[in-house]
Amino acid sequence: MKRLSLLLILFPALIFAQKRGDVCQTISRVSALIKENHFQPKPIDDSLSVFVFDDFIDGLDSGRNLFSKADYELLSKNRLLLDNFISNNQCAFIDEFITAYKNALERKKKILQKIQEIPFDYNSTDSIRFSRKKFPFDVETNEFERVWIKRIRYDILEDISKMSKNGDSLSKNFSALEKITKKKIIDANLCKVNALLLDDSQLENKIKNDFLNSFCTYFDPHSNYFSADAKSSFMSGLSTSNLSLGIEVSLNDNEEIVIEEIVPGGPASKNSSIEKGDIITKVSNKKGSEYWVSCSSLETIGDLIF
């Protein structure tokens, strides 16, 4: 398995056209569609408010390491009011979530930039929370540095442990490996944060699309809202389009493109440097613009590939 950086110079046509319509207008259309076609559509009431709020904010911060307790308490005033806002065609509340999310990302960025210069202690006993159960939003603002040090330190140890089964070798070379791995992990986190902070439209679209998805899921757990840059559209287009590279792909846990199959006779099959199992980490165009797959929008990657 190789980790690849691809230079893509073919297929300049755009495949995505993000429509940033009004959230209330989109919700109204979705509601009308559900009422017309669903066998037993649920009412828009407090039950919707609670479900959508909890599902939405849980998706924005599933690890409980982005929003502080104060952030959550400020946003939770909307928890029983979303149905009223929607019914009255008042969706200014979404701006509160956009502002809170942006501020949380900026706080995370400052913390990551700070701790990348701080040496970590790997000799003390510590704990970190991992569970599919939803933890409360209970982190105080002054605790985020400690929380992120623990999280990054865990990721470093996990990453190093996968490098070899020879514990003695890992122990002997730990200092060098830790330095490289720490930089890689913090850089990856900063890359994802910067990708959102440097593009207000991308950040706003993420918030709006996530909210609309939670709204649809309330009516039917098997129903989802797919935006113009939805993963399914991207993956389908990349794998099956007549203009594709002739590869079937998936996304791994790090949001990198994994080559699952190479289509016989396709463009990729004629390139001996590309093999099944390879991971595409970065793409670039003829002009020299480079993008890391793990922290770029699928819209951006799609525009480069097609």
Side-chain angles (χ1 to χ4, degrees):
M1 179 187 73
K2 303 187 296 298
R3 303 180 75 83
L4 306 176
S5 175
L6 295 186
L7 172 64
L8 302 166
I9 61 177
L10 301 177
F11 320 132
L14 302 181
I15 60 170
F16 299 117
Q18 184 67 276
K19 296 180 179 180
R20 298 182 59 205
D22 180 80
V23 175
C24 277
Q25 186 179 42
T26 304
I27 290 175
S28 178
R29 291 173 178 173
V30 171
S31 297
L33 183 65
I34 291 173
K35 290 178 180 179
E36 180 180 350
N37 295 283
H38 202 286
F39 176 64
Q40 287 184 322
K42 296 180 180 179
I44 296 180
D45 55 17
D46 284 351
S47 296
L48 176 141
S49 289
V50 171
F51 176 90
V52 173
F53 178 87
D54 290 349
D55 187 71
F56 174 48
I57 201 165
D58 182 59
L60 291 178
D61 187 13
S62 58
R64 302 298 190 264
N65 50 29
L66 194 61
F67 289 133
S68 67
K69 181 179 180 181
D71 294 333
Y72 176 79
E73 290 175 348
L74 179 64
L75 293 172
S76 63
K77 70 177 186 291
N78 297 302
R79 192 168 182 259
L80 293 175
L81 299 175
L82 295 180
D83 60 313
N84 298 330
F85 293 146
I86 292 170
S87 297
N88 295 322
N89 203 37
Q90 298 173 343
C91 292
F93 68 87
I94 201 73
D95 292 332
E96 296 180 32
F97 287 93
I98 292 172
T99 299
Y101 191 65
K102 184 175 183 179
N103 290 341
L105 289 175
E106 290 174 340
R107 177 173 57 212
K108 176 181 175 180
K109 179 179 178 179
K110 289 180 181 178
I111 291 172
L112 290 172
Q113 289 174 328
K114 179 180 179 180
I115 67 176
Q116 65 183 345
E117 306 298 333
I118 298 175
F120 288 174
D121 176 17
Y122 295 93
N123 296 314
S124 60
T125 300
D126 211 335
S127 61
I128 188 169
R129 300 189 302 190
F130 286 102
S131 174
R132 292 189 178 276
K133 295 181 179 180
K134 294 181 177 62
F135 289 110
F137 289 85
D138 57 1
V139 179
E140 301 291 346
T141 303
N142 60 0
E143 296 178 336
F144 273 109
E145 183 176 318
R146 176 182 61 83
V147 168
W148 274 107
I149 287 176
K150 292 172 66 172
R151 176 72 217 196
I152 298 298
R153 187 172 55 183
Y154 175 88
D155 288 343
I156 290 170
L157 292 172
E158 182 182 42
D159 200 62
I160 292 177
S161 70
K162 294 178 181 178
M163 294 180 182
S164 172
K165 294 182 179 180
N166 188 328
D168 292 336
S169 176
L170 292 178
S171 178
K172 181 179 179 181
N173 299 286
F174 181 80
S175 294
L177 294 174
E178 190 271 349
K179 183 177 180 180
I180 295 171
T181 306
K182 179 181 179 182
K183 183 179 187 308
K184 181 188 73 172
I185 290 174
I186 291 181
D187 283 352
N189 275 276
L190 283 171
C191 183
K192 293 177 180 179
V193 171
N194 286 329
L196 289 170
L197 290 178
L198 292 176
D199 187 347
D200 286 341
S201 63
Q202 183 179 330
L203 188 150
E204 291 174 9
N205 284 331
K206 171 180 169 52
I207 299 297
K208 293 175 182 178
N209 292 335
D210 285 359
F211 179 83
L212 289 165
N213 189 62
S214 294
F215 179 80
C216 291
T217 303
Y218 165 74
F219 293 98
D220 185 344
H222 304 293
S223 296
N224 300 95
Y225 174 82
F226 287 106
S227 63
D229 66 344
K231 290 183 181 180
S232 59
S233 298
F234 170 75
M235 306 306 293
S236 176
L238 179 60
S239 297
T240 64
S241 170
N242 292 330
L243 297 180
S244 76
L245 301 177
I247 54 179
E248 295 182 5
V249 301
S250 63
L251 292 177
N252 62 18
D253 291 340
N254 294 322
E255 297 292 311
E256 299 166 330
I257 300 174
V258 181
I259 298 177
E260 299 289 352
E261 296 291 343
I262 298 178
V263 180
S269 68
K270 301 173 183 178
N271 188 332
S272 59
S273 64
I274 300 177
E275 300 176 354
K276 178 179 178 179
D278 285 347
I279 297 175
I280 301 174
T281 60
K282 183 169 63 174
V283 297
S284 58
N285 58 20
K286 196 175 182 179
K287 296 179 180 179
S289 300
E290 295 184 343
Y291 300 88
W292 288 97
V293 173
S294 61
C295 58
S296 299
S297 70
L298 293 178
E299 180 180 6
T300 298
I301 302 302
D303 288 349
L304 285 169
I305 290 177
F306 290 90

